[in-house]
Amino acid sequence: MRRINLLFVIGMLLSFLAHSIIGGIRLSGAEAGSPEVWAWICLSFVSLHTVTGAILTVKTLVAIRRSGKGYFKENKLFWTRRISGFALLIPLLMHLLIFSGTGDEAYRLVFFHSGRLISQLLLIAVLALHVLTNVRTTLIGLGVRSRRLFSADICFVLSVVLLLCCCAFCIYYLRWMSY
Protein backbone atom coordinates (compact mmCIF):
# COMPACT_ATOMS: atom_id res chain seq x y z
CA MET A 1 0.00 0.00 0.00
CA ARG A 2 2.91 2.35 0.71
CA ARG A 3 4.28 1.80 -2.83
CA ILE A 4 0.92 2.66 -4.35
CA ASN A 5 0.76 5.74 -2.13
CA LEU A 6 4.20 6.73 -3.41
CA LEU A 7 2.84 6.69 -6.97
CA PHE A 8 -0.03 8.90 -5.85
CA VAL A 9 2.45 11.31 -4.26
CA ILE A 10 4.53 11.56 -7.45
CA GLY A 11 1.44 12.17 -9.58
CA MET A 12 0.17 14.69 -7.07
CA LEU A 13 3.44 16.63 -6.97
CA LEU A 14 3.81 16.78 -10.75
CA SER A 15 0.21 17.85 -11.33
CA PHE A 16 0.47 20.35 -8.45
CA LEU A 17 3.55 21.94 -10.03
CA ALA A 18 1.76 22.32 -13.37
CA HIS A 19 -1.42 23.64 -11.73
CA SER A 20 0.37 26.12 -9.49
CA ILE A 21 2.62 27.51 -12.22
CA ILE A 22 -0.17 27.92 -14.77
CA GLY A 23 -2.61 29.20 -12.11
CA GLY A 24 -0.03 31.64 -10.74
CA ILE A 25 0.58 33.07 -14.19
CA ARG A 26 -3.15 33.43 -14.73
CA LEU A 27 -3.78 35.06 -11.33
CA SER A 28 -0.96 37.52 -12.03
CA GLY A 29 -2.91 38.82 -15.00
CA ALA A 30 -1.12 37.13 -17.89
CA GLU A 31 -2.85 34.69 -20.19
CA ALA A 32 -1.84 31.10 -19.58
CA GLY A 33 -3.15 27.64 -20.28
CA SER A 34 -5.92 26.07 -18.30
CA PRO A 35 -5.02 25.29 -14.68
CA GLU A 36 -8.38 23.58 -14.20
CA VAL A 37 -7.33 20.38 -15.98
CA TRP A 38 -4.27 20.08 -13.76
CA ALA A 39 -6.37 20.94 -10.72
CA TRP A 40 -8.72 18.02 -11.35
CA ILE A 41 -5.82 15.65 -11.97
CA CYS A 42 -4.13 16.86 -8.78
CA LEU A 43 -7.40 16.59 -6.82
CA SER A 44 -7.77 12.98 -7.97
CA PHE A 45 -4.29 12.15 -6.69
CA VAL A 46 -4.93 14.10 -3.47
CA SER A 47 -8.12 12.09 -2.88
CA LEU A 48 -6.33 8.79 -3.42
CA HIS A 49 -3.42 9.91 -1.22
CA THR A 50 -5.83 11.03 1.52
CA VAL A 51 -7.69 7.72 1.55
CA THR A 52 -4.43 5.77 1.59
CA GLY A 53 -3.03 8.00 4.35
CA ALA A 54 -6.20 7.55 6.40
CA ILE A 55 -6.01 3.77 6.05
CA LEU A 56 -2.35 3.74 7.07
CA THR A 57 -3.09 6.03 10.03
CA VAL A 58 -5.91 3.78 11.22
CA LYS A 59 -3.58 0.77 10.96
CA THR A 60 -1.01 2.64 13.04
CA LEU A 61 -3.59 3.55 15.68
CA VAL A 62 -4.75 -0.08 15.85
CA ALA A 63 -1.13 -1.23 16.30
CA ILE A 64 -0.63 1.36 19.06
CA ARG A 65 -3.79 0.21 20.82
CA ARG A 66 -2.75 -3.42 20.63
CA SER A 67 0.74 -2.78 21.93
CA GLY A 68 -0.37 -0.35 24.58
CA LYS A 69 2.60 1.91 23.80
CA GLY A 70 2.23 5.06 21.71
CA TYR A 71 5.76 6.44 21.88
CA PHE A 72 4.32 9.83 20.93
CA LYS A 73 7.47 11.69 21.95
CA GLU A 74 9.65 9.51 19.73
CA ASN A 75 7.24 9.75 16.80
CA LYS A 76 6.53 13.49 16.73
CA LEU A 77 7.68 13.84 13.12
CA PHE A 78 5.40 10.96 12.07
CA TRP A 79 2.42 12.61 13.76
CA THR A 80 3.39 16.01 12.32
CA ARG A 81 3.19 14.43 8.86
CA ARG A 82 -0.21 12.89 9.54
CA ILE A 83 -1.75 15.91 11.28
CA SER A 84 -0.45 18.40 8.70
CA GLY A 85 -1.83 16.20 5.92
CA PHE A 86 -5.29 16.15 7.43
CA ALA A 87 -5.06 19.84 8.38
CA LEU A 88 -4.26 20.59 4.74
CA LEU A 89 -7.74 19.44 3.75
CA ILE A 90 -9.42 22.51 5.28
CA PRO A 91 -7.57 25.24 3.31
CA LEU A 92 -7.67 22.96 0.24
CA LEU A 93 -11.45 22.82 0.47
CA MET A 94 -11.50 26.62 0.83
CA HIS A 95 -9.27 26.86 -2.28
CA LEU A 96 -11.73 24.71 -4.21
CA LEU A 97 -14.69 26.82 -3.09
CA ILE A 98 -12.97 30.12 -3.89
CA PHE A 99 -11.59 29.18 -7.29
CA SER A 100 -14.41 27.03 -8.62
CA GLY A 101 -16.12 29.70 -10.74
CA THR A 102 -14.92 31.63 -13.75
CA GLY A 103 -16.42 34.38 -15.85
CA ASP A 104 -17.12 34.24 -19.56
CA GLU A 105 -14.36 36.43 -20.97
CA ALA A 106 -11.94 37.25 -18.17
CA TYR A 107 -10.90 35.07 -15.28
CA ARG A 108 -13.13 36.60 -12.61
CA LEU A 109 -14.28 35.20 -9.33
CA VAL A 110 -16.36 36.44 -6.49
CA PHE A 111 -14.75 39.24 -4.55
CA PHE A 112 -11.28 38.21 -3.32
CA HIS A 113 -11.18 39.85 0.10
CA SER A 114 -8.58 39.69 2.88
CA GLY A 115 -10.06 36.56 4.46
CA ARG A 116 -9.71 34.67 1.21
CA LEU A 117 -6.14 35.87 0.77
CA ILE A 118 -5.31 34.68 4.29
CA SER A 119 -6.92 31.30 3.63
CA GLN A 120 -4.79 30.84 0.50
CA LEU A 121 -1.59 31.89 2.26
CA LEU A 122 -2.51 29.39 4.99
CA LEU A 123 -2.90 26.72 2.29
CA ILE A 124 0.63 27.46 1.10
CA ALA A 125 2.06 27.40 4.62
CA VAL A 126 0.43 24.09 5.60
CA LEU A 127 1.35 22.59 2.22
CA ALA A 128 4.97 23.63 2.72
CA LEU A 129 5.03 22.07 6.20
CA HIS A 130 3.48 18.83 4.96
CA VAL A 131 5.71 18.44 1.93
CA LEU A 132 8.94 19.47 3.66
CA THR A 133 8.39 17.00 6.50
CA ASN A 134 7.76 14.23 3.95
CA VAL A 135 10.60 14.85 1.47
CA ARG A 136 13.04 12.51 3.19
CA THR A 137 10.47 9.71 3.52
CA THR A 138 9.48 10.03 -0.12
CA LEU A 139 13.08 9.88 -1.28
CA ILE A 140 13.65 6.77 0.86
CA GLY A 141 10.57 5.21 -0.73
CA LEU A 142 11.95 5.99 -4.18
CA GLY A 143 15.24 4.35 -3.25
CA VAL A 144 17.31 7.51 -3.73
CA ARG A 145 20.73 7.02 -2.17
CA SER A 146 21.98 10.61 -2.06
CA ARG A 147 18.94 11.95 -0.23
CA ARG A 148 20.66 15.07 1.11
CA LEU A 149 21.39 16.39 -2.40
CA PHE A 150 17.91 15.62 -3.72
CA SER A 151 16.21 16.92 -0.56
CA ALA A 152 17.92 20.28 -0.97
CA ASP A 153 16.94 20.42 -4.66
CA ILE A 154 13.33 19.48 -3.99
CA CYS A 155 13.07 21.97 -1.13
CA PHE A 156 14.53 24.71 -3.31
CA VAL A 157 12.15 24.06 -6.23
CA LEU A 158 9.19 23.80 -3.86
CA SER A 159 10.18 27.02 -2.11
CA VAL A 160 10.40 28.89 -5.41
CA VAL A 161 7.03 27.56 -6.62
CA LEU A 162 5.33 28.34 -3.30
CA LEU A 163 6.85 31.83 -3.24
CA LEU A 164 5.51 32.42 -6.75
CA CYS A 165 2.09 31.18 -5.57
CA CYS A 166 2.16 33.62 -2.64
CA CYS A 167 3.08 36.44 -5.00
CA ALA A 168 0.32 35.45 -7.43
CA PHE A 169 -2.31 35.40 -4.67
CA CYS A 170 -1.11 38.80 -3.42
CA ILE A 171 -1.12 40.28 -6.93
CA TYR A 172 -4.61 38.93 -7.50
CA TYR A 173 -5.73 40.41 -4.16
CA LEU A 174 -4.20 43.79 -5.04
CA ARG A 175 -5.87 43.73 -8.45
CA TRP A 176 -9.23 43.18 -6.75
CA MET A 177 -8.57 45.98 -4.28
CA SER A 178 -7.83 48.40 -7.12
CA TYR A 179 -11.29 47.89 -8.71
Side-chain angles (χ1 to χ4, degrees):
M1 182 172 280
R2 292 185 192 284
R3 289 277 179 199
I4 293 170
N5 193 34
L6 187 60
L7 295 175
F8 298 154
V9 168
I10 293 167
M12 188 173 45
L13 284 174
L14 294 175
S15 57
F16 166 74
L17 287 174
H19 169 68
S20 60
I21 291 169
I22 294 169
I25 292 169
R26 187 183 250 186
L27 286 179
S28 297
E31 190 56 40
S34 176
E36 292 87 6
V37 173
W38 291 106
W40 287 111
I41 293 169
C42 187
L43 185 61
S44 300
F45 283 118
V46 166
S47 300
L48 294 168
H49 177 64
T50 302
V51 169
T52 307
I55 291 169
L56 292 171
T57 302
V58 167
K59 286 183 177 182
T60 300
L61 291 172
V62 168
I64 288 172
R65 187 164 186 242
R66 282 188 189 151
S67 71
K69 304 276 187 197
Y71 300 109
F72 181 76
K73 244 182 169 177
E74 292 80 6
N75 293 316
K76 282 183 185 173
L77 185 59
F78 170 82
W79 289 111
T80 300
R81 291 175 183 140
R82 297 294 191 211
I83 293 168
S84 67
F86 290 117
L88 188 56
L89 296 176
I90 296 167
L92 179 64
L93 178 62
M94 293 171 76
H95 181 77
L96 289 170
L97 293 173
I98 292 169
F99 290 100
S100 62
T102 60
D104 294 333
E105 297 172 11
Y107 190 66
R108 295 273 187 244
L109 306 171
V110 294
F111 183 63
F112 197 73
H113 52 74
S114 300
R116 291 183 176 189
L117 174 64
I118 291 168
S119 74
Q120 298 314 290
L121 296 178
L122 179 65
L123 171 68
I124 291 170
V126 177
L127 180 65
L129 172 68
H130 185 65
V131 173
L132 293 175
T133 57
N134 283 291
V135 167
R136 183 172 178 264
T137 314
T138 304
L139 291 174
I140 290 170
L142 289 171
V144 174
R145 294 197 185 269
S146 56
R147 288 187 294 271
R148 181 166 287 174
L149 176 66
F150 281 106
S151 286
D153 291 343
I154 290 171
C155 289
F156 176 75
V157 169
L158 178 69
S159 297
V160 169
V161 169
L162 292 178
L163 176 64
L164 293 175
C165 289
C166 282
C167 291
F169 284 131
C170 290
I171 290 169
Y172 190 68
Y173 172 76
L174 292 172
R175 286 176 55 211
W176 265 108
M177 291 300 113
S178 67
Y179 286 116

